[in-house]
Each structure stands twice: as C-alpha cells, then as structure tokens.
Amino acid sequence: MAIGVFGELPDAEQAAESPEATVETASAFSKPLYWMFEMGHAALDPLRVIADANRLYYRNPANPLAHTSLGKSISAACEMFERTTRRYGKPEWGIDETVVGATHVPVTIEVEWERPFCRLLHFVRDFPNPPRRPQPRMLIVAPLSGHYATLLRGTVQTLLPNHDIYITDWADARNVPLSAGRFDLDDYIDYVIEIFRHLGGGVHVLAVCQPAVPVLAAVARMEAMGDPDVPASMVLMGGPIDTRESPTAVNHFAEERGLDWFRRNVITTVPWPNGGFMRQVYPGFLQLHGFMAMNLERHLQAHADMFRHLVKGDGDSAAKHREFYDEYLSVMDLPAEYYLQTLQAVFIDHALPRGELTHRGEKVDPSQIRNVALLTIEGENDDISGVGQTRAAQKLCSSLPDDMRVHYLQPTVGHYGVFNGSRFRADIAPRIADFVMSHNWPRKGDNAPRGKG
C-alpha cells in the first residue's frame, strides 16, 4: 500500500485534543480539504474548456499557424494544461480477445460476484473448441491502494491465454453510500474468504503488492477452520509481509509519522454530490500527491519530454505518455478505517510477522497453512516493498513441505516490473504458469474448461 509523502502539509499536532481520537473526530482538521479540492477543480473548468478549444484551433491543418513553431508550442501548452488539471475517470479494460495457441479467442467481462466495496470480474473466453491444455482457474487480487484494478491490465493480458482469470475490482469509496456500512481490513479478509468459497476449492490466487497480507491471512484462517474451499496455490508478488526487512522510504515514513499524523492530515470527508457523501476516506488526490512526490523529478521530466514530443510532432512518443498517465493519474478514494487499520497493522506494528495479527478476534497463524502451495516473487530494485519483505511469508508458512514452496527474485526490476512489462512477460509469468500447473488439482473432480474459459 502506498503511504505517500506529505511532508509539505501543515502539521496538526494541536488540532486534536487526544491522540486516541476516532477517525470521525480526528479528521476535523482535514475535513475541508476535499471540499476545497472540489471547488478548485470546478473553478478551473472554464479554463480547461478554453485550453482545449485553443489546442484544437492551433492544431487544425487549415490554420497557417498550426505549421509554425509558435502554433505547435501553443497547442502543446494547452494540451499539457488540460491534461494536468482534469479529473481522470476509471479506465476501461480494453481486453476483448486473447490468443490461445494460434487461435484468436473473444473475451467478455462478466460480473461473477458483487458486494458494496468490490466486484469479482470474470474474463470469459469463448472457445470455438475447448483447448486440450488445462486452463487453471486463477484469482488475481488487485491492490486496494489508490489505483484501479485496471493497473493490472498487462498482468491479465499475459496470463489470460493459459488461465481462466478472475480479478477483484475494488470500488471507489467516493461512490459507496454511507448506508453500505464501513469497510476495514477485517472486511477485506472476509471478502477474500467469500470469493474463495464462491469459486470453490482448487482455484489459484495471485496477490499483487498490498493484498499479500490479507490473502495470506484469509488462507491461514481458512486452513485453521479446515475449510475445503482453500486455494490450491497462492502467489505473493512484491507484498509487504514483513516491512522490517529492507525497509524502504515508504516504510520509514509510516513509522516516523505514526498513525495519529495520518489520521489528522490525510483523512477527509467526501463532499456532496458524490454517492459516498460524508464518508470518511483517504482521498485519491492526496494519494496522487504522494505517488508523484516519491519520484517528482522523473514525472517533471516525463511531462517536459511530452511537451517536446508534441512540438516536434512525435505522435508515437506522445501517445505512449498519454497511455501511461491516463492510467497513472486515475486514482480512487480508500475507506478511512481500512487505510488506517492497514497502516497500523502492516507498516507500524508489523503484526503479521510478530504473530499479533487477528481477524474478527481470532489469531492469524500462517503455520496452519499445510495444503496451499506458496510462490513468493520479488523485484531486485523494488522501492516500495523491499527485498525480503515478501519472502518473509516463506518463514511464516513453516508447516509447508519444501516441495510446496518456491521463492524467486527477479533481477533489475522495480515494483511495477514485478507484475508488468517485458521482464514479467519473459521471466516471471512463465514461472507462475509452471508453478500453478505443478500444483493444480481438480475442482469437484473437474477442472477442465467447458466451452467457455
């Protein structure tokens, strides 16, 4: 989970009377932030319209100025202004087919299961003829840490040819009404367990980054209860199982500030007319501030390069920039209680590796896991989840035999490269596929595809 960097925000040490204040009372200091953001965004609407009109005017081939350096510069500046001040909505998946063997197979996305804070999406492949190769069912648990599940579009596209893919599509808390109730880490684990039971035993689960902790906790609780619907295997990728190992700047920041600072400075209230009016959240615009601040120089350089590409007419490079930032700048609000509980348990108290994590009052004990094979994957240059943080799960799952556990460290990749990009496609995804096939077991006696994958 990205913590963000908010060093420039005013400290609110005097804003709360007690460090033990609840989410609702402690957020009084930061409550106006969301309202001010909305007003500022609305105030810029006329300027965005003018900028977009000027962009079209100076780009029109019929305009003589469009062929001059001045016209191209004005058009580029207007586009940069419009893009950096707009609100980015939830991206589309854009996956309508895949290639299985040498056959192009149509793909449709169906909602398999739904709760107020999450939908389970199924990428249904309409095979003309069922493939002979087994197509293991795989549940991808996407992070609930700021970006939408579409951030894993490349992960899904890579795994889809050989797997029957399901993915968690977390809701933007800004749109979830108060009547739906609260959502915290316990609820997250409940959701994961419910999804396992809905899919039935034998599914394979892949957790990317933040979900590594609740997925491991859910499997441990199910094993402790003797639940028959446990997955056949779990793959934990770049997850903060034990943030005491190779702590990153994100980890240090969380420990130095403490929970009260986050409660007072980054928790705010959803304004009207959003569906989640008056819900306490960690808003997406503050998360984006944190994301950008961690690599500010890189983002500034990328936007400067974008401006030059537009002036020079380098359409391909500009298109790549647009594609990346359309996804990167699309952020969602997180429920305050979930964010704060996760921050406390995972990044401050290190509750899971210390044996202190509980779910609904029951201890989470990974040593109870005996039937679910474990693959942990890390990136050598990961600056979010340092090397060793995910591998810590191997030690915690002490009851697993050696032939049911594997760890892999991918050289030269950072956090994003663990689950996307060329190294993921060439080196990591094949290892995941081999591991899943090695530990694939039938669901109720039949795991073969039946017409649709």
Side-chain angles (χ1 to χ4, degrees):
M1 168 177 285
I3 301 301
V5 180
F6 298 95
E8 291 76 27
L9 290 176
D11 196 2
E13 291 296 334
Q14 306 302 321
E17 297 180 359
S18 169
E20 302 301 323
T22 65
V23 170
E24 289 75 11
T25 57
S27 64
F29 176 84
S30 56
K31 186 176 294 186
L33 287 177
Y34 213 138
W35 299 79
M36 290 188 290
F37 172 80
E38 291 285 300
M39 289 188 292
H41 190 269
L44 287 173
D45 279 345
L47 295 179
R48 272 192 295 274
V49 173
I50 294 172
D52 201 38
N54 282 329
R55 176 184 66 86
L56 295 173
Y57 176 76
Y58 284 101
R59 183 172 293 180
N60 192 325
N63 183 354
L65 289 175
H67 307 285
T68 66
S69 295
L70 175 62
K72 292 177 180 178
S73 297
I74 294 175
S75 176
C78 289
E79 178 170 344
M80 295 302 295
F81 175 81
E82 191 279 329
R83 289 186 59 82
T84 54
T85 58
R86 76 164 68 155
R87 168 170 283 173
Y88 290 79
K90 183 178 181 179
E92 297 293 330
W93 281 99
I95 300 176
D96 53 15
E97 73 169 13
T98 188
V99 178
V100 180
T103 304
H104 288 264
V105 179
V107 175
T108 56
I109 302 176
E110 298 181 354
V111 178
E112 179 79 14
W113 173 94
E114 187 169 9
R115 294 292 183 273
F117 289 89
C118 183
R119 300 186 305 168
L120 180 65
L121 303 182
H122 184 198
F123 292 83
V124 181
R125 299 167 299 169
D126 190 4
F127 291 110
N129 297 296
R132 294 183 178 180
R133 186 182 187 275
Q135 302 284 302
R137 293 171 303 129
M138 177 173 286
L139 167 64
I140 300 176
V141 182
L144 178 54
S145 57
H147 287 103
Y148 292 95
T150 51
L151 189 68
L152 303 185
R153 183 184 296 104
T155 313
V156 172
Q157 289 173 323
T158 301
L159 298 173
L160 194 54
N162 298 312
H163 302 84
D164 184 11
I165 298 293
Y166 299 79
I167 192 168
T168 56
D169 183 30
W170 299 103
D172 187 342
R174 177 174 61 231
N175 301 321
V176 182
L178 278 177
S179 59
R182 54 184 279 127
F183 183 86
D184 60 17
L185 185 58
D186 284 337
D187 295 305
Y188 193 123
I189 296 172
D190 286 341
Y191 274 30
V192 174
I193 293 174
E194 279 192 51
I195 292 173
F196 284 149
R197 289 172 176 166
H198 174 81
L199 295 176
V203 72
H204 303 268
V205 59
L206 185 150
V208 179
C209 188
Q210 166 270 324
V213 171
V215 165
L216 182 60
V219 173
R221 289 295 302 128
M222 292 178 75
E223 286 271 53
M225 294 183 289
D227 197 310
D229 290 326
V230 291
S233 72
M234 59 178 164
V235 182
L236 309 181
M237 306 177 67
I241 299 297
D242 188 351
T243 57
R244 298 173 299 180
E245 299 286 340
S246 304
T248 64
V250 172
N251 307 143
H252 288 307
F253 187 83
E255 289 191 328
E256 290 169 2
R257 292 289 181 174
L259 189 68
D260 292 330
W261 186 92
F262 287 94
R263 181 187 289 117
R264 290 191 294 266
N265 287 282
V266 306
I267 300 303
T268 185
T269 306
V270 177
W272 184 85
N274 296 287
F277 175 54
M278 295 305 293
R279 180 177 291 280
Q280 299 290 299
V281 297
Y282 175 26
F285 68 88
L286 282 183
Q287 297 173 62
L288 187 58
H289 171 92
F291 296 149
M292 300 291 281
M294 284 190 289
N295 294 286
L296 183 59
E297 185 176 350
R298 183 189 306 172
H299 292 297
L300 291 175
Q301 185 61 50
H303 282 75
D305 291 342
M306 168 72 166
F307 179 83
R308 286 192 291 269
H309 295 322
L310 290 171
V311 173
K312 292 179 181 178
D314 185 352
D316 290 342
S317 297
K320 290 179 180 178
H321 177 98
R322 292 190 192 100
E323 180 181 357
F324 175 80
Y325 279 99
D326 283 353
E327 187 77 52
Y328 189 81
L329 299 177
S330 299
V331 289
M332 56 193 289
D333 296 354
L334 305 182
E337 55 275 10
Y338 157 78
Y339 175 73
L340 293 174
Q341 187 180 355
T342 301
L343 184 66
Q344 181 78 56
V346 177
F347 295 94
I348 298 176
D349 292 343
H350 316 290
L352 181 59
R354 286 178 171 170
E356 299 171 357
L357 184 66
T358 62
H359 169 247
R360 303 296 181 198
E362 297 292 334
K363 180 180 177 181
V364 173
D365 183 7
S367 69
Q368 295 288 329
I369 300 176
R370 295 181 172 86
N371 303 297
V372 183
L374 173 64
L375 169 61
T376 51
I377 300 174
E378 297 178 331
E380 182 182 32
N381 300 328
D382 195 331
D383 60 350
I384 302 297
S385 296
V387 174
Q389 292 188 12
T390 312
R391 186 173 187 170
Q394 298 284 350
K395 181 178 180 180
L396 295 177
C397 298
S398 56
S399 299
L400 280 177
D402 291 342
D403 62 353
M404 292 182 67
R405 60 169 78 237
V406 177
H407 176 73
Y408 177 67
L409 176 66
Q410 174 64 46
T412 71
V413 302
H415 188 70
Y416 188 75
V418 170
F419 59 89
N420 218 330
S422 58
R423 295 298 178 89
F424 172 75
R425 292 189 295 270
D427 299 331
I428 297 177
R431 285 179 165 83
I432 294 174
D434 288 346
F435 180 80
V436 165
M437 286 300 296
S438 298
H439 300 281
N440 195 39
W441 47 273
R443 173 194 182 188
K444 298 179 181 178
D446 181 14
N447 196 36
R450 292 169 290 183
K452 292 186 177 182

Short mmCIF file of all heavy atoms in Angstrom, two decimals, residues 127-170:
data_model
loop_
_atom_site.label_atom_id
_atom_site.label_comp_id
_atom_site.label_asym_id
_atom_site.label_seq_id
_atom_site.Cartn_x
_atom_site.Cartn_y
_atom_site.Cartn_z
N PHE A 127 -14.33 -20.11 -26.32
CA PHE A 127 -13.57 -21.02 -27.17
C PHE A 127 -14.46 -21.63 -28.25
O PHE A 127 -15.53 -22.16 -27.95
CB PHE A 127 -12.97 -22.17 -26.34
CG PHE A 127 -11.88 -21.76 -25.40
CD1 PHE A 127 -12.08 -21.77 -24.03
CD2 PHE A 127 -10.64 -21.36 -25.89
CE1 PHE A 127 -11.08 -21.40 -23.16
CE2 PHE A 127 -9.63 -20.99 -25.02
CZ PHE A 127 -9.84 -21.00 -23.65
N PRO A 128 -14.01 -21.61 -29.52
CA PRO A 128 -14.73 -22.37 -30.55
C PRO A 128 -14.63 -23.87 -30.28
O PRO A 128 -15.58 -24.63 -30.50
CB PRO A 128 -14.03 -21.97 -31.84
CG PRO A 128 -12.69 -21.45 -31.44
CD PRO A 128 -12.87 -20.86 -30.07
N ASN A 129 -13.45 -24.28 -29.79
CA ASN A 129 -13.22 -25.67 -29.38
C ASN A 129 -12.39 -25.64 -28.10
O ASN A 129 -11.36 -24.96 -28.06
CB ASN A 129 -12.47 -26.46 -30.46
CG ASN A 129 -13.26 -26.57 -31.75
OD1 ASN A 129 -14.33 -27.18 -31.77
ND2 ASN A 129 -12.75 -25.97 -32.81
N PRO A 130 -12.82 -26.34 -27.06
CA PRO A 130 -12.06 -26.33 -25.81
C PRO A 130 -10.62 -26.78 -26.03
O PRO A 130 -10.37 -27.76 -26.72
CB PRO A 130 -12.81 -27.33 -24.92
CG PRO A 130 -14.19 -27.36 -25.49
CD PRO A 130 -14.02 -27.17 -26.97
N PRO A 131 -9.63 -26.05 -25.48
CA PRO A 131 -8.23 -26.44 -25.64
C PRO A 131 -7.91 -27.72 -24.88
O PRO A 131 -8.55 -28.04 -23.87
CB PRO A 131 -7.47 -25.25 -25.06
CG PRO A 131 -8.41 -24.65 -24.08
CD PRO A 131 -9.78 -24.85 -24.64
N ARG A 132 -6.94 -28.45 -25.38
CA ARG A 132 -6.53 -29.68 -24.70
C ARG A 132 -5.73 -29.39 -23.45
O ARG A 132 -5.78 -30.14 -22.48
CB ARG A 132 -5.71 -30.55 -25.66
CG ARG A 132 -6.51 -31.06 -26.86
CD ARG A 132 -5.65 -31.97 -27.72
NE ARG A 132 -6.40 -32.51 -28.85
CZ ARG A 132 -5.89 -33.32 -29.77
NH1 ARG A 132 -4.61 -33.69 -29.68
NH2 ARG A 132 -6.65 -33.77 -30.76
N ARG A 133 -4.97 -28.31 -23.48
CA ARG A 133 -4.14 -27.97 -22.33
C ARG A 133 -5.04 -27.49 -21.19
O ARG A 133 -5.96 -26.70 -21.39
CB ARG A 133 -3.17 -26.85 -22.70
CG ARG A 133 -2.16 -26.50 -21.60
CD ARG A 133 -1.27 -25.35 -22.07
NE ARG A 133 -0.20 -25.10 -21.13
CZ ARG A 133 -0.29 -24.34 -20.05
NH1 ARG A 133 -1.46 -23.78 -19.76
NH2 ARG A 133 0.74 -24.15 -19.25
N PRO A 134 -4.80 -27.96 -19.97
CA PRO A 134 -5.59 -27.49 -18.82
C PRO A 134 -5.51 -25.98 -18.68
O PRO A 134 -4.47 -25.37 -18.94
CB PRO A 134 -4.94 -28.20 -17.63
CG PRO A 134 -4.27 -29.40 -18.21
CD PRO A 134 -3.81 -28.98 -19.58
N GLN A 135 -6.61 -25.39 -18.29
CA GLN A 135 -6.70 -23.94 -18.10
C GLN A 135 -7.03 -23.67 -16.63
O GLN A 135 -8.20 -23.47 -16.27
CB GLN A 135 -7.76 -23.35 -19.02
CG GLN A 135 -7.54 -23.60 -20.50
CD GLN A 135 -6.46 -22.70 -21.06
OE1 GLN A 135 -6.54 -21.48 -20.98
NE2 GLN A 135 -5.43 -23.31 -21.63
N PRO A 136 -6.03 -23.65 -15.76
CA PRO A 136 -6.30 -23.49 -14.32
C PRO A 136 -7.02 -22.18 -14.03
O PRO A 136 -6.75 -21.14 -14.65
CB PRO A 136 -4.90 -23.50 -13.69
CG PRO A 136 -4.03 -24.17 -14.70
CD PRO A 136 -4.59 -23.82 -16.03
N ARG A 137 -7.95 -22.24 -13.08
CA ARG A 137 -8.64 -21.03 -12.64
C ARG A 137 -7.71 -20.21 -11.75
O ARG A 137 -7.11 -20.74 -10.83
CB ARG A 137 -9.92 -21.39 -11.89
CG ARG A 137 -10.98 -22.04 -12.77
CD ARG A 137 -12.13 -22.57 -11.93
NE ARG A 137 -11.67 -23.51 -10.93
CZ ARG A 137 -11.98 -23.45 -9.63
NH1 ARG A 137 -12.74 -22.48 -9.19
NH2 ARG A 137 -11.53 -24.35 -8.80
N MET A 138 -7.61 -18.90 -12.06
CA MET A 138 -6.73 -18.03 -11.28
C MET A 138 -7.47 -16.78 -10.83
O MET A 138 -8.07 -16.08 -11.65
CB MET A 138 -5.49 -17.63 -12.09
CG MET A 138 -4.57 -16.66 -11.35
SD MET A 138 -3.03 -16.34 -12.22
CE MET A 138 -2.17 -17.90 -11.93
N LEU A 139 -7.43 -16.53 -9.54
CA LEU A 139 -7.98 -15.32 -8.96
C LEU A 139 -6.85 -14.32 -8.74
O LEU A 139 -5.91 -14.60 -7.99
CB LEU A 139 -8.67 -15.64 -7.63
CG LEU A 139 -9.02 -14.43 -6.76
CD1 LEU A 139 -10.05 -13.54 -7.44
CD2 LEU A 139 -9.50 -14.90 -5.38
N ILE A 140 -6.93 -13.18 -9.39
CA ILE A 140 -5.97 -12.10 -9.17
C ILE A 140 -6.60 -11.12 -8.19
O ILE A 140 -7.66 -10.55 -8.47
CB ILE A 140 -5.60 -11.38 -10.48
CG1 ILE A 140 -4.98 -12.37 -11.48
CG2 ILE A 140 -4.65 -10.23 -10.20
CD1 ILE A 140 -4.67 -11.75 -12.83
N VAL A 141 -5.96 -10.95 -7.04
CA VAL A 141 -6.45 -9.98 -6.06
C VAL A 141 -5.67 -8.68 -6.29
O VAL A 141 -4.47 -8.60 -6.02
CB VAL A 141 -6.26 -10.48 -4.63
CG1 VAL A 141 -6.83 -9.47 -3.64
CG2 VAL A 141 -6.96 -11.83 -4.44
N ALA A 142 -6.37 -7.69 -6.84
CA ALA A 142 -5.74 -6.42 -7.17
C ALA A 142 -5.54 -5.58 -5.90
O ALA A 142 -6.29 -5.73 -4.94
CB ALA A 142 -6.62 -5.66 -8.17
N PRO A 143 -4.57 -4.69 -5.91
CA PRO A 143 -4.36 -3.83 -4.74
C PRO A 143 -5.52 -2.87 -4.52
O PRO A 143 -6.09 -2.34 -5.48
CB PRO A 143 -3.08 -3.05 -5.09
CG PRO A 143 -2.45 -3.79 -6.23
CD PRO A 143 -3.56 -4.45 -6.96
N LEU A 144 -5.85 -2.64 -3.28
CA LEU A 144 -6.74 -1.55 -2.89
C LEU A 144 -5.85 -0.50 -2.25
O LEU A 144 -5.77 -0.37 -1.03
CB LEU A 144 -7.82 -2.05 -1.93
CG LEU A 144 -8.83 -1.00 -1.41
CD1 LEU A 144 -9.50 -0.26 -2.55
CD2 LEU A 144 -9.85 -1.64 -0.50
N SER A 145 -5.14 0.22 -3.09
CA SER A 145 -4.13 1.15 -2.58
C SER A 145 -4.04 2.40 -3.43
O SER A 145 -2.98 3.03 -3.49
CB SER A 145 -2.77 0.45 -2.52
OG SER A 145 -2.40 -0.05 -3.79
N GLY A 146 -5.11 2.77 -4.10
CA GLY A 146 -5.10 4.04 -4.81
C GLY A 146 -5.48 3.94 -6.27
O GLY A 146 -6.32 4.69 -6.74
N HIS A 147 -4.86 3.01 -7.00
CA HIS A 147 -5.18 2.86 -8.40
C HIS A 147 -6.27 1.79 -8.59
O HIS A 147 -6.46 0.93 -7.75
CB HIS A 147 -3.93 2.47 -9.19
CG HIS A 147 -2.96 3.60 -9.37
ND1 HIS A 147 -1.81 3.71 -8.63
CD2 HIS A 147 -2.99 4.68 -10.18
CE1 HIS A 147 -1.15 4.80 -8.98
NE2 HIS A 147 -1.85 5.42 -9.92
N TYR A 148 -6.92 1.88 -9.74
CA TYR A 148 -7.96 0.91 -10.07
C TYR A 148 -7.32 -0.42 -10.46
O TYR A 148 -6.12 -0.50 -10.77
CB TYR A 148 -8.82 1.43 -11.21
CG TYR A 148 -9.67 2.62 -10.85
CD1 TYR A 148 -9.23 3.92 -11.09
CD2 TYR A 148 -10.92 2.45 -10.25
CE1 TYR A 148 -10.01 5.02 -10.75
CE2 TYR A 148 -11.71 3.54 -9.92
CZ TYR A 148 -11.24 4.84 -10.17
OH TYR A 148 -12.01 5.91 -9.83
N ALA A 149 -8.15 -1.46 -10.49
CA ALA A 149 -7.65 -2.80 -10.85
C ALA A 149 -7.11 -2.83 -12.27
O ALA A 149 -6.31 -3.71 -12.61
CB ALA A 149 -8.78 -3.83 -10.70
N THR A 150 -7.51 -1.87 -13.11
CA THR A 150 -7.01 -1.83 -14.49
C THR A 150 -5.51 -1.61 -14.56
O THR A 150 -4.92 -1.79 -15.62
CB THR A 150 -7.73 -0.73 -15.30
OG1 THR A 150 -7.67 0.51 -14.57
CG2 THR A 150 -9.19 -1.10 -15.53
N LEU A 151 -4.89 -1.21 -13.45
CA LEU A 151 -3.43 -1.10 -13.42
C LEU A 151 -2.79 -2.45 -13.74
O LEU A 151 -1.65 -2.52 -14.20
CB LEU A 151 -2.97 -0.62 -12.05
CG LEU A 151 -1.49 -0.25 -11.91
CD1 LEU A 151 -1.16 1.00 -12.72
CD2 LEU A 151 -1.12 -0.03 -10.45
N LEU A 152 -3.54 -3.54 -13.51
CA LEU A 152 -3.05 -4.89 -13.76
C LEU A 152 -3.49 -5.40 -15.14
O LEU A 152 -3.49 -6.61 -15.38
CB LEU A 152 -3.53 -5.85 -12.68
CG LEU A 152 -3.17 -5.50 -11.24
CD1 LEU A 152 -3.62 -6.60 -10.29
CD2 LEU A 152 -1.69 -5.24 -11.08
N ARG A 153 -3.83 -4.49 -16.04
CA ARG A 153 -4.26 -4.89 -17.37
C ARG A 153 -3.19 -5.77 -18.05
O ARG A 153 -3.50 -6.81 -18.63
CB ARG A 153 -4.53 -3.66 -18.24
CG ARG A 153 -5.06 -3.97 -19.62
CD ARG A 153 -5.21 -2.73 -20.46
NE ARG A 153 -6.21 -1.82 -19.91
CZ ARG A 153 -5.92 -0.69 -19.25
NH1 ARG A 153 -4.64 -0.36 -19.03
NH2 ARG A 153 -6.87 0.08 -18.79
N GLY A 154 -1.94 -5.36 -17.97
CA GLY A 154 -0.86 -6.14 -18.58
C GLY A 154 -0.71 -7.50 -17.94
O GLY A 154 -0.39 -8.49 -18.62
N THR A 155 -0.91 -7.58 -16.62
CA THR A 155 -0.85 -8.87 -15.92
C THR A 155 -1.92 -9.81 -16.44
O THR A 155 -1.66 -10.99 -16.72
CB THR A 155 -1.04 -8.65 -14.41
OG1 THR A 155 -0.21 -7.57 -13.97
CG2 THR A 155 -0.69 -9.90 -13.63
N VAL A 156 -3.14 -9.29 -16.56
CA VAL A 156 -4.25 -10.10 -17.06
C VAL A 156 -4.00 -10.55 -18.49
O VAL A 156 -4.18 -11.73 -18.83
CB VAL A 156 -5.57 -9.30 -16.97
CG1 VAL A 156 -6.71 -10.07 -17.66
CG2 VAL A 156 -5.92 -9.02 -15.52
N GLN A 157 -3.56 -9.63 -19.35
CA GLN A 157 -3.33 -9.97 -20.75
C GLN A 157 -2.27 -11.05 -20.90
O GLN A 157 -2.38 -11.92 -21.77
CB GLN A 157 -2.91 -8.71 -21.53
CG GLN A 157 -4.02 -7.71 -21.72
CD GLN A 157 -3.55 -6.42 -22.35
OE1 GLN A 157 -2.44 -5.93 -22.06
NE2 GLN A 157 -4.36 -5.83 -23.21
N THR A 158 -1.25 -11.01 -20.04
CA THR A 158 -0.17 -12.00 -20.13
C THR A 158 -0.63 -13.37 -19.67
O THR A 158 -0.25 -14.40 -20.26
CB THR A 158 1.03 -11.54 -19.29
OG1 THR A 158 1.49 -10.26 -19.78
CG2 THR A 158 2.17 -12.54 -19.38
N LEU A 159 -1.43 -13.43 -18.61
CA LEU A 159 -1.84 -14.71 -18.04
C LEU A 159 -3.08 -15.30 -18.71
O LEU A 159 -3.33 -16.50 -18.60
CB LEU A 159 -2.10 -14.55 -16.54
CG LEU A 159 -0.90 -14.12 -15.68
CD1 LEU A 159 -1.35 -13.85 -14.25
CD2 LEU A 159 0.19 -15.17 -15.70
N LEU A 160 -3.84 -14.48 -19.39
CA LEU A 160 -5.13 -14.91 -19.93
C LEU A 160 -5.06 -16.06 -20.94
O LEU A 160 -5.96 -16.91 -20.96
CB LEU A 160 -5.84 -13.70 -20.54
CG LEU A 160 -7.34 -13.85 -20.87
CD1 LEU A 160 -8.12 -14.32 -19.65
CD2 LEU A 160 -7.89 -12.53 -21.40
N PRO A 161 -4.04 -16.14 -21.79
CA PRO A 161 -4.02 -17.24 -22.76
C PRO A 161 -3.97 -18.63 -22.13
O PRO A 161 -4.41 -19.60 -22.75
CB PRO A 161 -2.75 -16.97 -23.57
CG PRO A 161 -2.54 -15.50 -23.47
CD PRO A 161 -2.97 -15.16 -22.07
N ASN A 162 -3.47 -18.75 -20.91
CA ASN A 162 -3.29 -20.07 -20.30
C ASN A 162 -4.06 -20.27 -19.00
O ASN A 162 -3.89 -21.30 -18.35
CB ASN A 162 -1.80 -20.34 -20.05
CG ASN A 162 -0.99 -20.33 -21.33
OD1 ASN A 162 -1.36 -20.97 -22.31
ND2 ASN A 162 0.10 -19.59 -21.34
N HIS A 163 -4.88 -19.28 -18.62
CA HIS A 163 -5.58 -19.37 -17.35
C HIS A 163 -6.99 -18.82 -17.48
O HIS A 163 -7.27 -17.94 -18.30
CB HIS A 163 -4.84 -18.59 -16.25
CG HIS A 163 -3.43 -19.04 -16.03
ND1 HIS A 163 -2.37 -18.58 -16.79
CD2 HIS A 163 -2.90 -19.90 -15.13
CE1 HIS A 163 -1.25 -19.15 -16.36
NE2 HIS A 163 -1.55 -19.94 -15.35
N ASP A 164 -7.86 -19.31 -16.64
CA ASP A 164 -9.23 -18.81 -16.52
C ASP A 164 -9.20 -17.74 -15.45
O ASP A 164 -9.14 -18.04 -14.25
CB ASP A 164 -10.15 -19.98 -16.13
CG ASP A 164 -11.61 -19.59 -16.09
OD1 ASP A 164 -11.94 -18.49 -16.56
OD2 ASP A 164 -12.42 -20.39 -15.58
N ILE A 165 -9.23 -16.46 -15.86
CA ILE A 165 -8.89 -15.36 -14.97
C ILE A 165 -10.12 -14.71 -14.33
O ILE A 165 -11.10 -14.37 -15.00
CB ILE A 165 -8.09 -14.27 -15.73
CG1 ILE A 165 -6.77 -14.85 -16.26
CG2 ILE A 165 -7.84 -13.06 -14.85
CD1 ILE A 165 -5.78 -15.23 -15.19
N TYR A 166 -10.01 -14.50 -13.02
CA TYR A 166 -10.93 -13.68 -12.24
C TYR A 166 -10.10 -12.59 -11.57
O TYR A 166 -8.92 -12.80 -11.25
CB TYR A 166 -11.63 -14.50 -11.15
CG TYR A 166 -12.46 -15.65 -11.64
CD1 TYR A 166 -11.86 -16.86 -12.01
CD2 TYR A 166 -13.85 -15.56 -11.72
CE1 TYR A 166 -12.62 -17.94 -12.45
CE2 TYR A 166 -14.62 -16.63 -12.15
CZ TYR A 166 -14.00 -17.82 -12.52
OH TYR A 166 -14.76 -18.87 -12.95
N ILE A 167 -10.71 -11.42 -11.34
CA ILE A 167 -9.96 -10.35 -10.67
C ILE A 167 -10.89 -9.53 -9.79
O ILE A 167 -12.08 -9.34 -10.11
CB ILE A 167 -9.25 -9.44 -11.70
CG1 ILE A 167 -8.24 -8.51 -11.00
CG2 ILE A 167 -10.25 -8.64 -12.51
CD1 ILE A 167 -7.30 -7.79 -11.95
N THR A 168 -10.38 -9.07 -8.66
CA THR A 168 -11.15 -8.20 -7.77
C THR A 168 -11.14 -6.78 -8.33
O THR A 168 -10.09 -6.23 -8.63
CB THR A 168 -10.56 -8.21 -6.36
OG1 THR A 168 -9.17 -7.82 -6.42
CG2 THR A 168 -10.67 -9.58 -5.72
N ASP A 169 -12.30 -6.21 -8.46
CA ASP A 169 -12.46 -4.84 -8.95
C ASP A 169 -13.00 -4.01 -7.79
O ASP A 169 -14.20 -3.94 -7.56
CB ASP A 169 -13.42 -4.84 -10.15
CG ASP A 169 -13.59 -3.46 -10.75
OD1 ASP A 169 -12.63 -2.67 -10.69
OD2 ASP A 169 -14.68 -3.17 -11.28
N TRP A 170 -12.08 -3.37 -7.06
CA TRP A 170 -12.46 -2.65 -5.85
C TRP A 170 -13.20 -1.35 -6.19
O TRP A 170 -12.88 -0.67 -7.16
CB TRP A 170 -11.23 -2.34 -5.00
CG TRP A 170 -10.52 -3.57 -4.55
CD1 TRP A 170 -9.38 -4.09 -5.06
CD2 TRP A 170 -10.93 -4.46 -3.51
NE1 TRP A 170 -9.04 -5.26 -4.40
CE2 TRP A 170 -9.97 -5.50 -3.44
CE3 TRP A 170 -12.01 -4.47 -2.62
CZ2 TRP A 170 -10.06 -6.55 -2.52
CZ3 TRP A 170 -12.09 -5.51 -1.71
CH2 TRP A 170 -11.13 -6.53 -1.66
#
